[in-house]
Amino acid sequence: MEDLRIGVIGLGLRTSIALAADRPGKGAVVAALCDLDPAVLKRQSAKFPSAGFLTRDHRELLDRPDIDAVIVNTPDDTHEALAIDALRAGKTVYLEKPMAITIDGCDAILRTARESGTRLYVGHNMRHMGVVRLMRDIIAKGVIGEPKTVWVRHFVGYGTEFYYKDWHADRTRTTGLLLQKATHDIDVVHWLAGGYTTRVNALGDLLLHGDLPRRAPGTPRPDDWLMENDWPPTARKDLNPVVDVEDVSVMNMRLDNGVIAAYQQCHFTPDYVRNYTVIGSEGRLENFGDGPGATVKVWNTGPTQYREDCDIAYKVPDAQGTHGGADVQIMSEFVRFAREGGVTDTSPVAARMSVAAGYLATRSLRDGGRPYDVPPLDADLAAYFDRGQQEAA
């Protein structure tokens, strides 16, 4: 079988996902690259020896008949337009999360995928992380009974570096970090709980990064911008010229199956880890660490005082590659999907619903915590994707 020939649009921090897809002779090869910055294009092309076509214009890449699929790894505010262009060009699309920065943008992408008949895949790689799959397996086995509530605490120790020194800090590019960053965790909450958010409210503020020194407009980031981790966080500098996204936020969700969920995010903690608690009708689970070798503990007898030893302890399996092996796994699923189609562990509908929840939570926190109802996706369109992007017989 010949390799799936992939083009990559956008060669920034998520180039790692494209590297995971580049497996010459083993099913997939990155054959073309696109980036607006010629210096980035030249530097990153050295990592892809089979990429014989380089361009700054994504339309030139999409016009090539020898490209079967594309990976869209560009800033969030460009996802809608680029995904629609690629779908209309008939290229199977891997679209990095979030799908778009508005609900309308997500729905436009979904409609285009159906109208064009082109396959769409959204890169929610956390569905392939060992800790998430382990928690989902525990729940599926009934170890804690029926899920009733889910709580997520997200400690973002590298928040300044990843989100406040470039375009992520500008709400016109992201909507906000309750969409851009939390869309991963909202999707996991939905997956673990077996439902989608129907009502949301949130509070948040820019508590620290609004007071830190920024670069002058037009000034490039320092060469070592990603590696600088001054402590305490108040000592950090060289932020993006525009900083107007909240660095602390708390979000409450009611799901369509009655589950109540909560998500909390802080971008100036001393550590970087996600902590999930799922409480069911017959017990609870909680993860301690979120990478390979971490532990998921279950308490399903009681009631008692706190017991550190728990009732059952599960180890997150070892894995190789970035994001705890998730990037390798999600690329394997994408390549299979591009070749064969069918249902996948990731879901364009779920991707839309996570954006919808994050988008309206952001509106809520900027509106004094007012609750908002999440609009459902058109049922016929949702059914199309639930069938593995096939029309009804």
Side-chain angles (χ1 to χ4, degrees):
M1 183 181 297
E2 292 186 0
D3 286 338
L4 184 78
R5 294 178 61 82
I6 298 173
V8 180
I9 304 173
L11 296 166
L13 290 179
R14 288 298 281 141
T15 299
S16 59
I17 202 76
L19 289 168
D22 193 29
R23 310 169 188 178
K26 298 180 180 179
V29 61
V30 172
L33 302 172
C34 175
D35 197 279
L36 292 174
D37 188 328
V40 170
L41 186 61
K42 180 179 179 180
R43 182 175 68 252
Q44 297 287 52
S45 66
K47 301 175 181 178
F48 300 93
S50 299
F53 180 76
L54 310 180
T55 181
R56 296 175 61 191
D57 187 341
H58 75 279
R59 291 163 295 190
E60 291 183 351
L61 187 153
L62 296 177
D63 284 342
R64 293 188 65 88
D66 61 338
I67 297 300
D68 306 308
V70 295
I71 296 172
V72 178
N73 274 340
T74 53
D76 299 356
D77 58 317
T78 67
H79 285 188
E80 179 183 353
L82 291 174
I84 288 174
D85 282 353
L87 291 165
R88 287 176 175 164
K91 311 296 185 186
T92 298
V93 174
Y94 179 103
L95 179 59
E96 181 55 33
K97 70 86 201 168
M99 181 185 287
I101 64 171
T102 66
I103 302 171
D104 288 345
C106 291
D107 291 353
I109 293 170
L110 294 174
R111 287 193 300 268
T112 302
R114 186 180 188 182
E115 291 164 2
S116 65
T118 307
R119 291 169 180 161
L120 170 66
Y121 188 102
V122 185
H124 276 280
N125 64 338
M126 278 190 66
R127 290 197 176 205
H128 290 272
M129 285 179 62
V131 66
V132 172
R133 297 182 83 86
L134 176 57
M135 290 189 294
R136 190 164 187 266
D137 288 346
I138 293 167
I139 293 168
K141 292 175 183 176
V143 177
I144 62 169
E146 182 182 357
K148 295 295 184 181
T149 188
V150 184
W151 307 336
V152 185
R153 298 185 301 165
H154 196 175
F155 307 97
V156 192
Y158 297 98
T160 306
E161 285 62 44
F162 285 130
Y163 302 104
Y164 287 90
K165 291 188 175 180
D166 67 0
W167 55 268
H168 293 87
D170 183 346
R171 65 176 63 176
T172 66
R173 310 290 305 275
T174 62
T175 292
L177 296 178
L178 265 183
L179 190 159
Q180 203 289 331
K181 182 62 171 167
T183 188
H184 266 317
D185 297 278
I186 297 169
D187 180 61
V188 171
V189 168
H190 290 167
W191 207 39
L192 296 180
Y196 292 132
T197 297
T198 58
R199 191 168 177 84
V200 64
N201 81 301
L203 295 173
D205 210 340
L206 186 58
L207 295 181
L208 186 141
H209 290 91
D211 299 323
L212 300 184
R214 308 179 190 182
R215 304 189 309 276
T219 304
R221 297 173 305 204
D223 290 340
D224 58 353
W225 69 279
L226 192 57
M227 301 307 296
E228 288 187 351
N229 295 291
D230 294 331
W231 193 262
T234 51
R236 294 172 185 173
K237 57 187 184 297
D238 293 322
L239 271 62
N240 194 58
V242 176
V243 176
D244 61 2
V245 295
E246 295 78 7
D247 52 14
V248 172
S249 52
V250 296
M251 171 182 176
N252 299 311
M253 297 164 270
R254 180 184 292 277
L255 277 56
D256 54 15
N257 58 1
V259 170
I260 299 293
Y263 171 83
Q264 304 174 5
Q265 180 187 98
C266 180
H267 284 268
F268 47 88
T269 64
D271 47 356
Y272 198 171
V273 66
R274 289 173 166 95
N275 174 256
Y276 285 85
T277 295
V278 182
I279 304 175
S281 56
E282 300 174 19
R284 77 174 177 96
L285 66 76
E286 182 177 356
N287 68 296
F288 293 81
D290 56 15
T295 302
V296 176
K297 293 185 177 183
V298 169
W299 293 264
N300 60 359
T301 64
T304 69
Q305 299 296 315
Y306 175 69
R307 291 177 287 122
E308 184 176 356
D309 58 349
C310 68
D311 291 300
I312 313 171
Y314 302 84
K315 285 292 183 183
V316 176
D318 291 337
Q320 300 297 318
T322 47
H323 292 97
D327 289 348
V328 171
Q329 296 301 318
I330 199 170
M331 274 294 116
S332 294
E333 183 174 70
F334 171 67
V335 170
R336 190 274 299 165
F337 171 72
R339 289 189 181 281
E340 305 170 9
V343 177
T344 57
D345 280 344
T346 65
S347 161
V349 171
R352 183 266 192 191
M353 295 306 295
S354 68
V355 167
Y359 178 85
L360 290 171
T362 304
R363 180 183 291 183
S364 173
L365 69 83
R366 294 173 186 164
D367 192 18
R370 174 185 171 184
Y372 283 91
D373 292 323
V374 177
L377 181 63
D378 174 79
D380 189 50
L381 186 56
Y384 169 78
F385 286 96
D386 289 342
R387 290 190 298 267
Q389 302 182 42
Q390 296 287 329
E391 295 293 352

